[in-house]
Amino acid sequence: MTHLRATLVVVGHGMVAHRFVQAAIERGLTETHDIVVLGEEPRPAYDRVALTSFFAADSPDELSLLPEGEYADPRVRLVLDAAVTEIDRPGRAVTYVSPTPRPSLDPPHEPLTGPGEVHTLGYDVLVLATGAAPFVPPVAGRDKDGCFVYRTIEDLEAIRTASRDATSGIVIGGGLLGLEAANALVQLGLDTHVVEMAPRLMPVQLDPAAGATLVRHVEQLGVNVHAGVLTEAITGNDFVTGLRLRPAGTEEGHETETIDAQVVVFSAGIRPRDALARECGLDVASRGGILVDEQCRSSDEHVFAIGECAAPGGTMYGLVAPGYAMAEVVVDTLLDGPGTFDGADMSTKLKLLGVDVATFGDAFATTDGALELVFSDAVAGIYKKLVVSEPDPANGSYRLLGGILVGDASAYGVLRPLVSSGIALPANPEELILPAGRGGVKLGMTDEAQVCSCNDVSKGDILVAVRDEGCEDVKSVRACTRAGSTCGSCVNVVKNIIEEHFASVGKVVDKGLCEHFPLSRQELFDIVAVHGYRRFDDIVEAHGTGRGCDVCKPAIASILASQFNGHVLDRDNRQLQDTNDAYLANIQRNGTYSVVPRIPGGEITPDKLIVIGEVARDFSLYTKITGGQRIDLFGARMEELPAIWRRLVDAGFESGHAYGKSLRTVKSCVGSTWCRFGVQDSVGLAITLEQRYRGLRSPHKLKGGVSGCARECAEARGKDFGVIATEKGWNLYVGGNGGAVPAHARLLAGDLDTETLVSYLDRFLMYYVRTADRLQRTVGWVDQLDGGLDRVREVVVDDALGLGAELEAEMDRHVGSYFDEWKATLEDPEKLGRFVSFVNAPDTPDPSISFTEERGQIRPAEPGVPVVLATTIPVGAPAGTGGLR
C-alpha cells in the first residue's frame, strides 16, 4: 500500500522558522512530510539576538544557525533569495520569485532556479514565519541617504559602510532594539545619540528610577541620551546632516534643537509582516499580526503562523522565546499532540551596552495592593525593585509579583520563578535584593527556575539531562536541552548546576586541566610556585600522566612564563607553545602572519609612524588600524618575520604581544593634555600601565583602558580593567569585556591617587593570574568567585587575606625581569633557526601562499580570483628573505 507524503511549506527562515524545522526533524515529522523552506534573505537563519556582535565577527557565518547551509535531513529543502509574493488558499499554493544570486556572500548560496523566475509551489500545510519589519515613523526626510533601519545583516553592512565617512550617528528609539543599535554605532566609532519620545529609556520595561540608572550607565559609555523629545525632521538635502528635535508635548513651531549627524538609524519598534495573510484573506488582529488559535492555526485550517507575524489571542510577541514555543506547538499539533500556546512570560534578561537589565512579572505594581521594595546604589550603578503582594492575613507572608533589576541582574534566575510558584518570601523580603554584606541573603534556585530564557530550559530540565540522560558537561547538556545554544549568557549557570549536582551526590567533580592532569590550573600554578618547576617534563612526571596535549601544554607554558618570565622559545618550553606563541606572531587564514608592534597608550611619534609605513611598503604588507590604537601589519611570511622585527626594533618598537594570552593594550583618550573636558592625564597613565604590565602572561588576554573624564571616550568599562578620571583622582573598574558577549566593568574603588591605583591593579591582576581557570576572562573569573566582586574587593582593597604585599612583590618581579621577545629572538641564532618555511630549503618561500589586490593593498587570494605576483626584496633584509607575492 502506497502512502502519499504531504508537503509542508515554511515561508521565512529566521530564528523561529529554523527552530520549527529543527523540531520537525527531531520529533519525526519528516517521516510523513516533505518540508520546503522559502527564505527571503540571501543567507540561512542567523542569530538576530546577537546581531550587534556582527561587527566583532570575522564573517557573518559566525552568527549562522545553519553554518552548513542546508539541513542534514534530505527531506528538508532550503531555498534562499526566495520572495513569496502570493498565497493561493483555494489552490493551496504559494508563488515566489527567485532573484539573482549574490556572489559576494561567502559561501555563496545559489537559488535552485534562474534569476527573476516566478514559481508556484503546492502545499498541504503552510507555516508562515515571516517575522516583523522595523517601524519607521513618518518623519520628514526619512528617505535621505544616511537613514537606515536595524534588522538584518544587510542593514548592518549598509550602516558600517556609511559610518566610514561619518563622525556622528543618531538612533531614533530608546527601547531594547534602539539600545542595541546604539551599541552598534559605538562599536563603529561614531559619536552616538539616542532619541526617545518617552521621558526615559526602555519605557515599556523600566520605571523612572530604573530608567535613570540605565541612562547614567549609557552616558558613561559616551552615548548622548535625549529623552522626552520629538523628532521634527531629518535635515540635509540629499544626504543626512542632522536631526531637528523639540520637547515632547509641544506644538510645531516650538523652539527646536538640532543634532549634527551623518547616520540616522530608526529603531522605533516593529510591526508584524502580515501583508501576505491580508492579501489572501486570513483574519488579522486589529493592531496587526495573523490571528491564530491555541495551536497557532489561522482562520484557514491548513495555514499556521508562528513568531512575530502571529497574534495569538490578538497579541503580538516580539521576543524569540515565545516564537520558539509557538514552533514547538505547531510541530506537536501536526503530530496529533496536545500542545497549546497559552501566552508567554515576557520576562527578560538582557545585556544592553554592557549593562545587565532584567524585568519580570508585574514590574509596575499594577496588582491591587501591590507593594514596592527598592534598593538603589547610584555610585555602583545598581537599581533593584521587587513588587510584592500584601501580607497574607493568615500568616503574614508575602508573595513575589514582579521586579526590575538594572546593573546587577544576577538574582534574576532565582527571583523570576518565585512569581509563578507563589512561594512565600522570607519574613524580610528586602533581603532578596540587598548586597550580601548589607543584610542580603542568597537563595538557591528551585527546579522550576528558568536558566535559559531563550529556549525555556529550567534547572529541573538540566538536572534531568544530568541524572537520566548521562550528560556530564555543558556541551552534552546543550545538545540535550538547548540550554546556552542561543545567546550563551546562561552557560556559566549551567556549568554550576552540573557541578553542584555531582557534588551533592558524592561524585567527584572533575576540575582537572585535561586527561593528563587531575589538577586545576590554579592547583598547578601553586605546585609550580612551591616546587620551582621550570620544565613541563618535570611537572607531568611528578603530577600527571602521558606526554601532554594541546590543552595542558600551552596552559603550563603560560604558568611558567607568568612566574619566571623566561623566553617562550627557550629550548625546554618552545614545544609547549601554540601556533601564535611559537612564532611570536598571529597566524592568518592563508598561512601568513601578522606583526603588531606595541604602541603604549596609542601615542606614537611621526618618525615611528613613518617607520611602520616604510616596513609595510618594503615587505608589501596589508596595514590596518585596530580598535586598540595599534597598527597591524598582515601578510608576513614566516621567513620574513625576523627581518621585519629587526627594522621595527631598530626604530625603538617592541613586541605588542598580540599573539599571546597576555596584556594587549591599554587604550586611552587624549585626556586633560588636549581635551577641554579632560580632568586627568589619561595618556600618561595609560602608557605607565601598559609599560608596567606588558608581557604579563595570564589565563587569557588582558585589555585595559584609561579615560580622562566621565565621557569615557576610551571605552574603559569594556575592558578587563578600566580607569576613569575624576576631579579627585581615578575610579578603578574591573571585569569588563567586549566581543560577542560584552560585559560592563564594575567599580572596585573610587577617587584613588595614582600610587594606590597601581597597587590595587597589581593585586587584582596577580590574583587573577594565580586563581583563574585556563582561558577564563576576568569577567567570568570575578563572577565565579564565591562572593563575586565583593570577594575581589576584600582581597584587593581590604587585603583580607594579607596577600597584598605578596601580590605587589610578584608584579614587581615581573616588571624587573621584563624583556622584549622579538629583540631577544634576534640576538639568539638558535631561536632564529625556527623561522623558515622549509628546513631543507630555508631560502625558499612557501609557493602555496598567494595574494590579490583590493583597495590598493594585498589580501589573501580566493580560488578563481586572479593572483597578483610580485618579487619583493625588502630594503635592509638579509638575502633570501624576499617573498613571492
Short mmCIF file of all heavy atoms in Angstrom, two decimals, residues 132-137 149-151 172-178 196 266-272 316:
data_model
loop_
_atom_site.label_atom_id
_atom_site.label_comp_id
_atom_site.label_asym_id
_atom_site.label_seq_id
_atom_site.Cartn_x
_atom_site.Cartn_y
_atom_site.Cartn_z
N ALA A 132 8.80 40.20 11.53
CA ALA A 132 8.33 41.57 11.67
C ALA A 132 9.25 42.50 10.90
O ALA A 132 10.37 42.15 10.54
CB ALA A 132 8.26 41.97 13.14
N ALA A 133 8.75 43.70 10.64
CA ALA A 133 9.53 44.71 9.93
C ALA A 133 9.71 45.91 10.84
O ALA A 133 8.84 46.21 11.67
CB ALA A 133 8.82 45.12 8.64
N PRO A 134 10.82 46.63 10.73
CA PRO A 134 11.02 47.83 11.55
C PRO A 134 9.97 48.89 11.24
O PRO A 134 9.58 49.07 10.08
CB PRO A 134 12.41 48.31 11.15
CG PRO A 134 13.06 47.16 10.48
CD PRO A 134 11.97 46.36 9.84
N PHE A 135 9.51 49.55 12.27
CA PHE A 135 8.58 50.66 12.10
C PHE A 135 9.38 51.95 11.91
O PHE A 135 10.22 52.30 12.73
CB PHE A 135 7.67 50.79 13.31
CG PHE A 135 6.84 52.06 13.30
CD1 PHE A 135 5.85 52.25 12.35
CD2 PHE A 135 7.06 53.05 14.24
CE1 PHE A 135 5.10 53.41 12.33
CE2 PHE A 135 6.31 54.21 14.24
CZ PHE A 135 5.33 54.40 13.28
N VAL A 136 9.12 52.64 10.81
CA VAL A 136 9.79 53.93 10.54
C VAL A 136 8.73 55.02 10.65
O VAL A 136 7.82 55.10 9.82
CB VAL A 136 10.43 53.95 9.14
CG1 VAL A 136 11.09 55.29 8.88
CG2 VAL A 136 11.44 52.81 9.00
N PRO A 137 8.80 55.86 11.67
CA PRO A 137 7.78 56.90 11.85
C PRO A 137 7.80 57.88 10.69
O PRO A 137 8.83 58.07 10.04
CB PRO A 137 8.18 57.55 13.18
CG PRO A 137 9.62 57.22 13.36
CD PRO A 137 9.83 55.90 12.72
N VAL A 149 17.47 51.26 8.81
CA VAL A 149 16.79 50.51 9.86
C VAL A 149 17.78 49.48 10.39
O VAL A 149 18.86 49.29 9.83
CB VAL A 149 15.50 49.82 9.36
CG1 VAL A 149 14.47 50.85 8.98
CG2 VAL A 149 15.81 48.88 8.19
N TYR A 150 17.41 48.82 11.49
CA TYR A 150 18.33 47.91 12.17
C TYR A 150 17.62 46.58 12.35
O TYR A 150 16.92 46.35 13.33
CB TYR A 150 18.70 48.51 13.53
CG TYR A 150 19.77 47.76 14.29
CD1 TYR A 150 21.11 47.98 14.04
CD2 TYR A 150 19.43 46.84 15.27
CE1 TYR A 150 22.09 47.31 14.75
CE2 TYR A 150 20.39 46.15 15.99
CZ TYR A 150 21.72 46.40 15.73
OH TYR A 150 22.69 45.73 16.43
N ARG A 151 17.79 45.68 11.36
CA ARG A 151 17.03 44.44 11.41
C ARG A 151 17.80 43.24 10.88
O ARG A 151 17.73 42.16 11.43
CB ARG A 151 15.73 44.61 10.60
CG ARG A 151 14.77 43.43 10.70
CD ARG A 151 14.21 43.27 12.09
NE ARG A 151 13.23 42.20 12.17
CZ ARG A 151 12.71 41.76 13.30
NH1 ARG A 151 13.07 42.32 14.44
NH2 ARG A 151 11.83 40.78 13.31
N ILE A 172 16.96 56.67 16.55
CA ILE A 172 15.62 57.13 16.92
C ILE A 172 14.90 55.95 17.57
O ILE A 172 14.54 54.99 16.90
CB ILE A 172 14.85 57.66 15.70
CG1 ILE A 172 15.58 58.87 15.11
CG2 ILE A 172 13.43 58.02 16.09
CD1 ILE A 172 14.92 59.44 13.87
N GLY A 173 14.73 56.02 18.87
CA GLY A 173 14.11 54.95 19.63
C GLY A 173 15.02 54.49 20.75
O GLY A 173 16.15 54.06 20.50
N GLY A 174 14.54 54.57 21.98
CA GLY A 174 15.35 54.21 23.13
C GLY A 174 14.87 52.95 23.82
O GLY A 174 15.07 52.79 25.03
N GLY A 175 14.27 52.03 23.05
CA GLY A 175 13.85 50.75 23.61
C GLY A 175 14.96 49.72 23.48
O GLY A 175 16.13 50.04 23.30
N LEU A 176 14.57 48.43 23.58
CA LEU A 176 15.55 47.36 23.52
C LEU A 176 16.37 47.41 22.22
O LEU A 176 17.59 47.40 22.24
CB LEU A 176 14.84 46.00 23.63
CG LEU A 176 14.08 45.71 24.92
CD1 LEU A 176 13.38 44.37 24.80
CD2 LEU A 176 15.02 45.69 26.11
N LEU A 177 15.67 47.46 21.09
CA LEU A 177 16.36 47.46 19.81
C LEU A 177 17.15 48.73 19.61
O LEU A 177 18.22 48.73 19.00
CB LEU A 177 15.36 47.26 18.67
CG LEU A 177 14.71 45.87 18.59
CD1 LEU A 177 13.67 45.85 17.48
CD2 LEU A 177 15.75 44.80 18.35
N GLY A 178 16.63 49.85 20.11
CA GLY A 178 17.33 51.13 19.97
C GLY A 178 18.67 51.12 20.66
O GLY A 178 19.67 51.61 20.13
N GLU A 196 14.58 59.50 22.31
CA GLU A 196 13.42 58.74 22.78
C GLU A 196 12.30 59.71 23.14
O GLU A 196 12.51 60.69 23.87
CB GLU A 196 13.79 57.89 23.99
CG GLU A 196 12.62 57.25 24.72
CD GLU A 196 11.76 56.37 23.84
OE1 GLU A 196 12.32 55.54 23.08
OE2 GLU A 196 10.53 56.52 23.89
N PHE A 266 16.71 54.14 12.43
CA PHE A 266 15.36 54.04 13.00
C PHE A 266 15.23 52.72 13.75
O PHE A 266 15.44 51.65 13.17
CB PHE A 266 14.30 54.12 11.90
CG PHE A 266 14.14 55.49 11.30
CD1 PHE A 266 14.79 55.82 10.12
CD2 PHE A 266 13.36 56.45 11.92
CE1 PHE A 266 14.65 57.07 9.56
CE2 PHE A 266 13.21 57.71 11.37
CZ PHE A 266 13.86 58.03 10.18
N SER A 267 14.88 52.81 15.01
CA SER A 267 14.65 51.60 15.81
C SER A 267 13.52 51.91 16.77
O SER A 267 13.66 51.85 18.00
CB SER A 267 15.92 51.20 16.56
OG SER A 267 15.74 49.94 17.16
N ALA A 268 12.39 52.26 16.19
CA ALA A 268 11.24 52.73 16.96
C ALA A 268 10.16 51.66 17.08
O ALA A 268 8.97 51.96 17.14
CB ALA A 268 10.66 53.99 16.29
N GLY A 269 10.58 50.42 17.12
CA GLY A 269 9.62 49.33 17.26
C GLY A 269 9.49 48.52 15.99
O GLY A 269 10.14 48.80 14.97
N ILE A 270 8.64 47.49 16.04
CA ILE A 270 8.44 46.61 14.89
C ILE A 270 6.95 46.43 14.64
O ILE A 270 6.12 46.68 15.52
CB ILE A 270 9.10 45.23 15.11
CG1 ILE A 270 8.59 44.58 16.42
CG2 ILE A 270 10.61 45.35 15.12
CD1 ILE A 270 9.11 43.19 16.67
N ARG A 271 6.65 46.00 13.45
CA ARG A 271 5.27 45.71 13.06
C ARG A 271 5.23 44.33 12.40
O ARG A 271 6.13 43.98 11.62
CB ARG A 271 4.74 46.76 12.07
CG ARG A 271 4.69 48.17 12.63
CD ARG A 271 3.64 48.30 13.73
NE ARG A 271 3.53 49.67 14.21
CZ ARG A 271 4.21 50.17 15.22
NH1 ARG A 271 5.10 49.42 15.85
NH2 ARG A 271 4.04 51.43 15.61
N PRO A 272 4.22 43.51 12.69
CA PRO A 272 4.16 42.17 12.08
C PRO A 272 4.12 42.24 10.56
O PRO A 272 3.43 43.10 9.99
CB PRO A 272 2.85 41.59 12.63
CG PRO A 272 2.52 42.42 13.83
CD PRO A 272 3.06 43.79 13.56
N MET A 316 0.71 40.31 19.79
CA MET A 316 1.98 40.00 19.11
C MET A 316 3.09 39.93 20.15
O MET A 316 3.17 40.76 21.04
CB MET A 316 2.31 41.09 18.09
CG MET A 316 3.66 40.91 17.41
SD MET A 316 4.42 42.49 17.02
CE MET A 316 5.98 41.97 16.34
#
